[in-house]
Structure formats: structure tokens, C-alpha cells
Amino acid sequence: MKVSPPAHWFEFIKNFTKKFEDEIVYDTVRIFRSKEDIEERYSTYQFKEFLPDYIPVADDSGGQVAVISKKENDTKVYLSSYGTLQEEMLEVLDRDLMHWMQRKFPFDREQTTLSTKDQEEIMKKNEVLFQHIISHPAVIKFLENKVVTEGLMLPENYAAADRIYYFQEGYHYNSIENKVLTGNNPGDFKPDWVVLAVNYFADPFFISLKEESMGFPVYFAYHGQGYWEPLKIAESLDIFQKIVDDTFSVRSDKNELADYFSKYKDIENPFWEEVLEAIQNNPEMDEETAETETNESDWRKANLYITDIGPNKIKIIALLKKEHKLSGSEALALSKNDRILFTTGYYKWLDYHCQQLEELGAKMEVEIIE
């Protein structure tokens, strides 16, 4: 039975397969590494009948199963069991798959206690923060670029701009305990700090909304110490963007990386000292590995065109309507074109859309634009 995972699952599984060779991790947790694995369990355990809007992504080898919603705007990981697949009995495991991986895939139950009123309040705060950051091109560019260089303590998981406040969970608030975590005492996470990204260990990279005139200096802090001690790691967000871009461009060459970061040797900043140490401890990559890394992490911009909408015309029109925010008549008119621009994005992230269109019988082509 064909199942279409949401886009964030593809991002997660790409990172997971780079970090882990086996499907079973931490002794008992089995991660479903492919669509075929998911489809097999979806069919075997009759998800279509009992839990049709969710898909299994992992289990604990003992009957408990982690599931995610098919909806793109719901990134939470939920806990269920193969014996009781009922939506009303789902319990929240984590805010998203990447964060769950950073926490080593716990299957502990964390039932949310937020009331409808509290959830509406979070939605309002998200909208306010979103409206604030969209007026700053540097912030939006940083979030949209999502430049990932693994193994160097640098950002690996970025906030989505339109869900920016939800990304603050664990820093600004705890939805499980319905608790505000910010404060103005020493060691508190300050209310004006906004987390834009985290690394593999969930250590945050953040800016202060009070420092707009300074170009938003970038700070880093170690997670899990019981208090927050910010380290300034870049004088502005533009400078930090250049650092992560430059690092990505030479990520496969240990010597070039070492040369690039040699300027940080004497600044006595624990973060950059740790990055340098990670580079020094990183084994040399051979040409074949470097080529694989380059192919797997292709950040070229590309256009995805539909060249033949195929037999499922109505479903394709519905996708065009959603993707381009068109009326029904506008989407219908667009569908009659011989070559339809479906979306533009980074080449590596077009796979989800390609699979979705292919399953509907459409033909497509990808055009690299930079």
C-alpha cells in the first residue's frame, strides 16, 4: 500500500542514515529507514483502517510504535501501540523527529496538558513573532537556506519561519508541563532571545530582538547545564551566514577547514575551540566519500516543472491550487499549460514533490538555476 510521508520525514531520514548504519539503535529502537519499511508496517498493522491519518516511523521492539501525521504542518512525534491504534489515545513523544533523534529516541510518555486556550495563545505568539522576523531579510535568508555541515557543532536543524515560536519549545516554554521557561535572572533564557537553529545536541543558536541595530549578533549556549550562558560567536547574522556557507563549501577537505578556522585559535571562545577540535578529530575523506557527500547534500537552487499532468488531473489541479495559492479556475487554467512550474527550491528537497507527483502519474523535469 503506497504511503506518502511528509517532507520533514525525508529530511530526518537523510540525517539518520548518515549517523547510523543499523536500523536498530540504542539496543531496542527500530527506525523504519525507507518508504517500503513504512508501507509494510502500515499494511501489516492495518493503519488504513484504524489510524489512517498517521504513519509509523519507529518502534521499541516491544509493541510500542512512534507515528507521525501525514499533514505537513504537524511535525510532532506521537506514541501508540500496535494493539491500540486509536487517534484519541495518541500521546506526544516529541516536537519533531530531529529533536527526538537528538534525545536518543526515548519512548517515554509525555502527554500534553495544554488547554485549547493555551494552544490558541501559543498560536498568537507564533503569529506575532513570525510577523516580527519577516521584516528582517537576513533572518529569513538564514532560515530558508538551511545550510547543514554535520559533525562540527554547527546548525543541523533550523526553525521554519512560519512556525518560529513553536521552535522555541524547550527554551521559551515547555508545552508538556505548560510552563514558561524565560526570565531575567542570571542563567535564565531571556524573553528577547529567539532560537533560529540547533545543532545535533540541541544546543541553540540564537539572536536577541533587542540587537536589531547591531545586525543581530549570533549567540550559542550549551543545552542541559541547568542554566544558560550565552557565547557570542558572530558579530552579526550576516557574518554567521557567511561562516556556515564557507564551511559547507569546503566541508570535504579537512586541511581547508583547518585553514579556514585557524583564525579562531587565539580568541578563547569555547564554541570555536570545540569546532576546531572536531575538525582535527575528523578523519580525512577520500575522493569517493567526498563525492557522495556532495551529491547527497546538493544545495543548488532548482525549478521543478510538470511536463505532463497524467491521468489524475483533478488531484494535480488540487496540488497546484495549494502550492500556488490559486482559485480553482486559476489552477485549472494553469494545468492546461504544456510546461508548468510547480515549485522552486533547493535540489535536495525536491525529492518529496517528485515522488508525490510521480505517484499521481505526472511527468516532470528539474532545471538547475544556480
Side-chain angles (χ1 to χ4, degrees), residues 73-326:
N73 61 355
D74 183 1
T75 62
K76 289 187 178 68
V77 185
Y78 297 93
L79 176 66
S80 185
S81 70
Y82 287 125
T84 55
L85 294 175
Q86 299 179 39
E87 185 169 9
E88 61 270 20
M89 296 183 68
L90 294 180
E91 300 177 17
V92 177
L93 275 177
D94 211 309
R95 72 187 189 202
D96 59 52
L97 286 164
M98 290 293 290
H99 192 252
W100 192 42
M101 179 169 66
Q102 290 161 359
R103 294 173 55 225
K104 300 182 178 180
F105 303 110
F107 269 78
D108 303 308
R109 293 170 171 81
E110 293 186 342
Q111 181 64 46
T112 180
T113 59
L114 289 181
S115 66
T116 301
K117 182 179 179 181
D118 291 328
Q119 293 179 41
E120 290 175 350
E121 184 63 26
I122 288 177
M123 289 176 62
K124 291 178 182 177
K125 289 180 178 179
N126 181 68
E127 182 62 24
V128 169
L129 187 55
F130 173 56
Q131 292 300 326
H132 191 116
I133 67 168
I134 59 174
S135 62
H136 302 293
V139 175
I140 299 302
K141 176 185 175 184
F142 182 77
L143 296 180
E144 290 182 345
N145 281 357
K146 299 182 186 295
V147 180
V148 175
T149 301
E150 298 175 346
L152 297 183
M153 294 290 295
L154 294 171
E156 294 194 24
N157 190 16
Y158 290 76
D162 60 352
R163 293 181 61 82
I164 183 67
Y165 189 73
Y166 293 95
F167 200 77
Q168 309 309 304
E169 182 162 4
Y171 310 101
H172 272 243
Y173 68 96
N174 182 327
S175 67
I176 304 302
E177 299 178 6
N178 195 15
K179 181 180 180 181
V180 175
L181 302 179
T182 55
N184 290 303
N185 295 320
D188 287 345
F189 202 90
K190 302 301 185 287
D192 57 287
W193 294 350
V194 178
V195 179
L196 302 181
V198 298
N199 64 16
Y200 176 70
F201 303 101
D203 301 325
F205 299 85
F206 54 95
I207 60 174
S208 169
L209 295 178
K210 293 180 179 180
E211 296 181 338
E212 175 185 347
S213 62
M214 301 166 63
F216 294 122
V218 178
Y219 298 88
F220 171 87
Y222 290 99
H223 186 268
Q225 296 187 130
Y227 62 91
W228 296 101
E229 184 177 351
L231 299 168
K232 183 187 287 189
I233 60 173
E235 293 299 324
S236 72
L237 189 56
D238 283 335
I239 291 174
F240 189 59
Q241 178 75 70
K242 186 177 189 310
I243 292 172
V244 295
D245 287 346
D246 291 346
T247 303
F248 182 80
S249 69
V250 297
R251 67 198 179 283
S252 302
D253 190 317
K254 181 176 179 178
N255 291 329
E256 284 200 47
L257 278 172
D259 288 344
Y260 183 81
F261 284 100
S262 62
K263 58 190 172 185
Y264 295 105
K265 284 183 179 178
D266 303 318
I267 64 175
E268 297 184 355
N269 185 302
F271 173 75
W272 292 118
E273 289 174 0
E274 192 161 356
V275 171
L276 277 167
E277 183 179 350
I279 293 171
Q280 292 162 359
N281 293 334
N282 197 29
E284 291 280 4
M285 296 177 64
D286 58 34
E287 290 184 6
E288 182 179 352
T289 304
E291 183 179 354
T292 299
E293 287 290 323
T294 301
N295 290 338
E296 289 180 351
S297 299
D298 195 338
W299 289 93
R300 294 173 295 172
K301 276 286 189 70
N303 290 327
L304 174 60
Y305 290 94
I306 298 173
T307 56
D308 184 343
I309 64 174
N312 291 294
K313 182 177 180 180
I314 299 301
K315 291 183 178 180
I316 295 295
I317 291 173
L319 288 178
L320 290 172
K321 180 179 177 181
K322 178 181 178 182
E323 184 69 23
H324 294 285
K325 297 180 173 59
L326 302 174

Side-chain angles (χ1 to χ4, degrees), residues 323-349:
E323 184 69 23
H324 294 285
K325 297 180 173 59
L326 302 174
S327 66
S329 59
E330 290 172 332
L332 176 61
L334 181 60
S335 72
K336 295 178 181 180
N337 293 341
D338 293 333
R339 193 166 183 257
I340 306 163
L341 177 61
F342 184 72
T343 190
T344 298
Y346 290 104
Y347 180 78
K348 63 181 293 187
W349 300 130

Side-chain angles (χ1 to χ4, degrees), residues 12-38:
F12 157 73
I13 209 65
K14 169 194 164 295
N15 283 276
F16 173 83
T17 53
K18 284 188 176 183
K19 297 180 187 299
F20 301 96
E21 293 183 359
D22 301 322
E23 64 177 12
I24 297 181
V25 296
Y26 306 114
D27 297 327
T28 61
V29 179
R30 185 190 305 272
I31 304 298
F32 309 147
R33 298 165 65 100
S34 67
K35 281 184 62 181
E36 290 73 21
D37 289 340
I38 289 175

